[in-house]
Amino acid sequence: MEPNFTSLRKEFPVLERKTYLNSGSYCALANDVKASIEAYMEDRLAVGANWDVWITKNEAVRALTAQLLGASPDEIAVTASVSAGLNALASALDFTGKRNKVVISDFEFPTNAQIWHAQEPRGAKVVHVARDATGYIPAEKFADAIDENTQLVAITHVCFRNGAKLEIPEIVRIARAKGAMVLLDCYQAVGSMDINVKKLDVDFAVGGMLKYLLGTAGIGFMYVRDSFTRSLVPTNSGWFAQADIGAMDITGNHPHPSARRFEAGTPAVVNCYASEAGLKFLLAVGTQNIEKRNQALTRRCMERLVEIGWPSVTPTPDARRGATVCVPSRDSGALSKALMSRDIVTSHRDANLRASFHFYNNEADIESFIAAMKDLRGDFSPR
Ligand SMILES: Cc1ncc(COP(=O)(O)O)c(C=O)c1O
């Protein structure tokens, strides 16, 4: 049964004040998430250092993230950011042999490009797959770049610049045929659509809690396929990555047998509180329901943009699009500010304005956005 989106909307007070089209940057705050942060504050006042409970919050985030991705909790590292996860993973890889190639795409967020380029002094060779004449990167383009020397294909699920979704199953098949591992940066996708890492057959998946997962900044995750949680040994480590945290052993490094070995130091406790509440909320709405709704909202928004003569650059097929609609502008930053002065919250990247949708948005949000864009077209559409 479809959730009652009208009543769910009431759980996000900012929606009474703003047309909030910015979940691809930072989600709207849910009452439950606010209450969970307040509960942490109360705990600080009432108990002080409630570590026994706080550790269970970190584990709750791990278990809920596993549920969300169709993985087991032992395959999830709870990290401080995508960067933290990727650095731990990179530190476990060897680039001195024949398989030294890392294939990325021109759609990557800086995190998933700079960290691989940072491995070049260690022997890594980073290859970028470019977009085609239409601005998209079809799977075939990866076939030219992935070969027997490729160790890792590290690709974004949805591009933060234009909202395009890559053809992940096809790219994974190409990588598998050449014996390469696949890492999916699903930050711009996770929570906005249904994702099952087993069905996608990826080896690693990274993301964080502040966008579509309804949580907060300063906490993320890395899925590590079970078979790699013992064979890969990160040199980027910490006491929370050890097999027995309580041992306090300073004579050696004993990595945990699970994905916990990719973690580092003390968890960000308050972020665990917020993320647990966000993940519970999201899972109750259901990722399949959310995907369907986001596809409908973005489709409608793109149709309306065409009607006002200011089409988006985001791909039109549902299968090639995430939850963000990107509109080209002669000054995307000033356009975003002009929209903000009308209480419409968006963001911008390069020459594109980004309007990102979540299940709590509705048709009225689209119409407010379209009315403002129609008004601002003369000053901000591409010349
Ligand atoms: C696709 C993608 N990857 C990664 C990040 C952020 O990575 P980190 O958690 O290291 O800041 C973002 C943030 O906007 C993103 O959109």
Side-chain angles (χ1 to χ4, degrees), residues 350-369:
D350 308 331
N352 293 334
L353 178 93
R354 303 191 306 179
S356 37
F357 290 84
H358 212 347
F359 63 87
Y360 42 65
N361 290 118
N362 63 12
E363 186 83 13
D365 291 336
I366 295 174
E367 288 313 314
S368 306
F369 175 61

Side-chain angles (χ1 to χ4, degrees), residues 89 93 95 98-104 125 127 129 142-155 168-184 200-204 225 227-228 232:
L89 174 63
L93 301 180
F95 299 105
K98 184 172 156 271
R99 274 202 191 261
N100 64 347
K101 214 163 142 180
V102 179
V103 173
I104 66 173
K125 191 168 166 248
V127 174
V129 178
F142 285 86
D144 300 335
I146 301 170
D147 58 20
E148 288 71 21
N149 296 333
T150 306
Q151 179 169 175
L152 181 71
V153 177
I155 42 167
I168 304 302
E170 290 79 0
I171 299 168
V172 171
R173 268 196 290 279
I174 294 166
R176 288 272 165 267
K178 300 289 181 185
M181 300 182 287
V182 180
L183 177 138
L184 183 67
L200 286 177
D201 192 29
V202 294
D203 300 295
F204 313 99
R225 183 196 284 278
S227 51
F228 289 126
L232 292 176

Side-chain angles (χ1 to χ4, degrees), residues 59 62 73-76 226 228-234 237-246 253-263:
E59 291 311 308
R62 188 189 314 283
D74 279 347
E75 294 175 305
I76 303 294
D226 179 55
F228 289 126
T229 59
R230 280 163 199 269
S231 58
L232 292 176
V233 183
S237 189
W239 69 299
F240 270 74
Q242 300 294 301
D244 180 0
I245 297 169
N253 175 40
H254 306 288
H256 201 283
S258 78
R260 289 168 183 81
R261 64 174 52 196
F262 294 93
E263 297 179 6

Side-chain angles (χ1 to χ4, degrees), residues 24-25 80-84 86 107-112 115 156-160 185-189 206-208 210-211 219-220 349 354:
S25 183
S81 61
V82 164
S83 305
L86 290 185
F107 282 177
E108 299 316 311
F109 189 82
T111 307
N112 193 38
I115 290 172
T156 196
H157 204 162
V158 171
C159 177
F160 76 108
D185 176 358
C186 60
Y187 212 149
Q188 285 292 337
V206 284
L210 78 137
K211 303 180 193 292
I219 182 165
R349 289 280 186 235
R354 303 191 306 179

